[in-house]
Amino acid sequence: MAHRIQCEVKAEASVSVEGYDGIILVADSLDKLTGPLDVLRVPLQAQAAIDESVVKDGAVVKVALPASRLVLAPTGPLNRDYDDVRRLFDAASAGIKRALKIGMKKPLLVVANADSFPEAKLVTVLGALHALYVPIEIREDVPEKASKAALLGFLGDDKTVQLATALDAGRTVTRDIGGSDPERMAPPRVEEYVRDVFQGTNVSLDVVSDDEKLCKEYPLFSAVNRCAKGVSRHRGRVMFLTYKGSGPVEQTLLLVGKGVTYDTGGADIKAGGVMAGMHRDKCGAAAVAGFMQILAILQPKNLKVIGSMAMVRNSVGSECYVADEIITSRAGVRVRVGNTDAEGRMAMADVLCHMKEIAPKEVNPHLMTIATLTGHVCLAYGEQYSAIMDNGPARLAGVAQKLQAAGDLVADPFEISTIRREDFDFHSGKSEYEDVLQCNNAPSSRTPRGHQTPSAFLIMSSGLDKHGKDSSQPIKYSHLDIAGLPYYSRKQNSKNQLQDPLPPLVSLSLVLCEFLPS
């Protein structure tokens, strides 16, 4: 596990501790640097007396401490209606980057006014670790650049550090899989990586890679895989990760992650330069693997989780599936293809059906699909927000509200969308040939309710519509469209460089508050 932790992280009790080559101070005001932090306030106020930009833009000053250098990473205001805990995350990340730029290798992280948000300390450490991430390709191919820092100290308690490093280990797995190029994390190599991650843990792995079995049990997934499977290194597979905590099971999560390792759009090919960045269309499955890593470390009791990863490449060629094909899903639903660029829902639907079949045998089951599914969600909510949609049973349980509240705590914001009757009407069969229409032939961003309708398709094509709140056997189901986060990070800046690989994706682990340390 050590190679998936950015560097050693230690809790410290004093800013006067030795062994560090600098201090990073995350603060919103110099006036709040009192008591033990007064030693940091004095040199910063002296600098601010000759440079009024210090409080807004930060500064580097000398301090009379063993660490000798101080980087101020200002958060800006924290008390306005629209300020949230992301200001601490962003400031810590920016502070680390500035510290690295001036040569720090062993920074001590300090956050002032940590009571402004309930998880302020945790989020600050996560922000620092975010900036210390090194992509797996660099760690493997350029060993001398495998780490950015040798040690990160944090002025705080061991409990915060332990939780932060557990969450960051899961986030690192997510970023390794989700951010890596389409060959390094082609489906067979994702399997190799996941086997390595969970070797020796209590998370088991089962993989379906036999093509005959895939075609029989996951026909919609196999339609997408049909073109890619002709290239051995691109052949798809469905992977199942299972965790069972100690004690009697009180809750079961059944997760389905979209793992499209590269999305050309298929026969409805992505044109006009929008194909670049599609190696991050596997971030749903990556988030599932990252979540399972967190479970393997935290070992929550009374919880069972089965996380599935639908790993497939949407290739284009003579064998690719095409619009107008009619394919019968695992649930026996006749699906007419409308657009081959709507491959994510195809990859997940049969796996979701499989999970639906398992659910009645489990204790208090809850199904979730997690996917970088639509550009519409970015259009609707912006490029740093995810959306969650509940079916009837999940809505009655208030699942979306719990996830949104958890995300607000840890700088991973969610917006709540609603699945409505128009979404089911949109996907109903338009002729006697088919039961369900997979998609229209317009981009989701040009389709009304473009991120809500796919949840209806997943419900209808998997047979979950037989398990709504009107059913004798209702099953909770939530769909998470997380396209905004990887989309934001794959955008290219003015220098034609990709942005940071991924913001945090950890709130899924925090929504079940009863199994996390209090």
Side-chain angles (χ1 to χ4, degrees):
M1 186 186 301
H3 66 288
R4 283 183 290 277
I5 296 176
Q6 314 310 326
C7 65
E8 181 185 3
V9 186
K10 291 175 61 178
E12 301 290 0
S14 170
V15 292
S16 300
V17 66
E18 296 187 353
Y20 295 93
D21 58 5
I23 296 171
I24 300 170
L25 173 63
V26 176
D28 64 326
S29 170
L30 301 185
D31 296 335
K32 295 176 182 177
L33 302 177
T34 59
L37 300 185
D38 190 66
V39 67
L40 305 181
R41 177 181 57 82
V42 173
L44 285 170
Q45 284 187 331
Q47 184 68 18
I50 61 172
D51 181 359
E52 293 182 355
S53 70
V54 166
V55 176
K56 180 181 178 181
D57 300 330
V60 180
V61 299
K62 287 185 67 66
V63 289
L65 292 168
S68 76
R69 293 178 290 179
L70 172 63
V71 171
L72 172 63
T75 63
L78 297 175
N79 59 353
R80 296 169 299 187
D81 288 354
Y82 53 88
D83 294 321
D84 60 49
V85 75
R86 286 178 295 174
R87 289 193 175 276
L88 290 159
F89 183 96
D90 294 342
S93 182
I96 286 287
K97 291 177 181 178
R98 187 161 188 181
L100 295 175
K101 194 173 288 188
I102 65 173
M104 285 190 199
K105 293 295 182 183
K106 296 181 179 180
L108 174 64
L109 181 66
V110 177
V111 57
N113 192 29
D115 296 330
S116 51
F117 298 100
E119 297 294 345
K121 292 182 179 180
L122 174 64
V123 170
T124 301
V125 180
L126 287 172
L129 290 170
H130 177 78
L132 291 174
Y133 173 77
V134 178
I136 188 172
E137 290 96 335
I138 300 297
R139 302 200 309 266
E140 292 175 340
D141 299 341
V142 193
E144 64 272 20
K145 294 184 179 180
S147 63
K148 295 177 180 177
L151 173 66
L152 175 66
F154 176 65
L155 188 65
D157 56 274
D158 285 324
K159 184 178 175 181
T160 298
V161 167
Q162 290 168 5
L163 181 54
T165 52
L167 294 173
D168 188 67
R171 189 176 58 181
T172 295
V173 169
T174 299
R175 295 172 81 177
D176 281 356
I177 297 173
S180 291
D181 79 75
E183 291 299 330
R184 174 58 187 91
M185 286 296 173
R189 298 200 69 188
V190 173
E191 178 186 344
E192 293 172 3
Y193 175 87
V194 170
R195 285 191 185 280
D196 177 60
V197 168
F198 295 106
Q199 185 176 12
T201 73
N202 65 342
V203 174
S204 62
L205 172 65
D206 294 300
V207 179
V208 181
S209 57
D210 177 71
D211 185 56
E212 184 176 350
K213 187 173 183 179
L214 287 171
C215 289
K216 180 180 179 181
E217 298 188 10
Y218 310 100
L220 298 181
F221 171 96
S222 294
V224 182
N225 188 44
R226 193 166 71 202
C227 186
K229 70 185 180 184
V231 180
S232 60
R233 69 180 189 278
H234 294 163
R235 288 174 186 161
R237 55 253 294 118
V238 178
M239 301 162 56
F240 295 91
L241 294 160
T242 303
Y243 167 85
K244 186 175 180 181
S246 61
V249 174
E250 298 175 0
Q251 185 162 6
T252 307
L253 275 178
L254 301 148
L255 310 177
V256 181
K258 174 187 173 183
V260 177
T261 59
Y262 199 70
D263 182 18
T264 67
D268 290 296
I269 197 160
K270 292 180 181 291
V274 299
M275 198 185 299
M278 284 297 123
H279 65 295
R280 289 186 176 156
D281 213 8
K282 54 190 177 328
C283 287
V288 169
F291 180 56
M292 301 303 290
Q293 169 75 107
I294 293 167
L295 298 181
I297 297 171
L298 294 181
Q299 298 286 308
K301 299 178 180 179
N302 310 118
L303 176 73
K304 181 177 181 181
V305 181
I306 303 175
S308 59
M309 302 169 66
M311 306 306 306
V312 67
R313 178 180 169 117
N314 190 20
S315 293
V316 61
S318 58
E319 288 290 335
C320 65
Y321 82 123
V322 297
D324 297 332
E325 283 192 52
I326 298 174
I327 305 163
T328 301
S329 74
R330 180 185 178 110
V333 177
R334 291 174 60 80
V335 174
R336 180 186 288 276
V337 178
N339 188 333
T340 64
D341 198 17
E343 82 297 330
R345 65 196 73 178
M346 297 282 284
M348 291 190 295
D350 291 325
V351 186
L352 179 61
C353 179
H354 186 167
M355 293 297 201
K356 176 208 69 179
E357 296 162 4
I358 294 172
K361 306 168 190 174
E362 303 294 341
V363 178
N364 190 16
H366 186 177
L367 278 64
M368 287 187 176
T369 45
I370 308 169
T372 50
L373 207 63
T374 68
H376 186 276
V377 78
C378 308
L379 184 67
Y381 294 129
E383 296 166 358
Q384 297 187 58
Y385 297 86
S386 297
I388 178 170
M389 291 144 269
D390 287 342
N391 75 344
R395 193 178 307 126
L396 290 173
V399 172
Q401 287 74 19
K402 292 177 184 176
L403 183 61
Q404 186 180 62
D408 287 346
L409 288 175
V410 294
D412 190 13
F414 274 79
E415 302 290 4
I416 298 174
S417 287
T418 305
I419 311 170
R420 300 194 181 275
R421 64 183 186 181
E422 289 86 355
D423 303 321
F424 289 89
D425 292 342
F426 181 84
H427 286 287
S428 63
K430 308 308 177 191
S431 74
E432 60 184 302
Y433 287 86
E434 73 279 347
D435 302 313
V436 168
L437 177 66
Q438 170 234 26
C439 189
N440 62 357
N441 56 9
S444 68
S445 56
R446 295 294 177 266
T447 301
R449 302 188 60 80
H451 76 270
Q452 292 100 327
T453 69
S455 55
F457 169 83
L458 286 164
I459 290 170
M460 296 164 73
S461 59
S462 67
L464 262 175
D465 52 346
K466 308 298 190 298
H467 295 275
K469 63 181 183 181
D470 61 331
S471 166
S472 60
Q473 196 175 61
I475 298 175
K476 290 176 288 185
Y477 165 67
S478 302
H479 171 58
L480 281 64
D481 192 332
I482 64 169
L485 298 178
Y487 177 85
Y488 173 71
S489 61
R490 74 171 180 248
K491 285 183 68 177
Q492 294 181 337
N493 62 21
S494 59
K495 296 181 181 179
N496 204 36
Q497 296 170 329
L498 288 173
Q499 305 299 305
D500 286 345
L502 281 175
L505 290 169
V506 299
S507 59
L508 188 58
S509 65
L510 294 176
V511 68
L512 302 172
C513 299
E514 64 270 23
F515 74 69
L516 281 175
S518 59

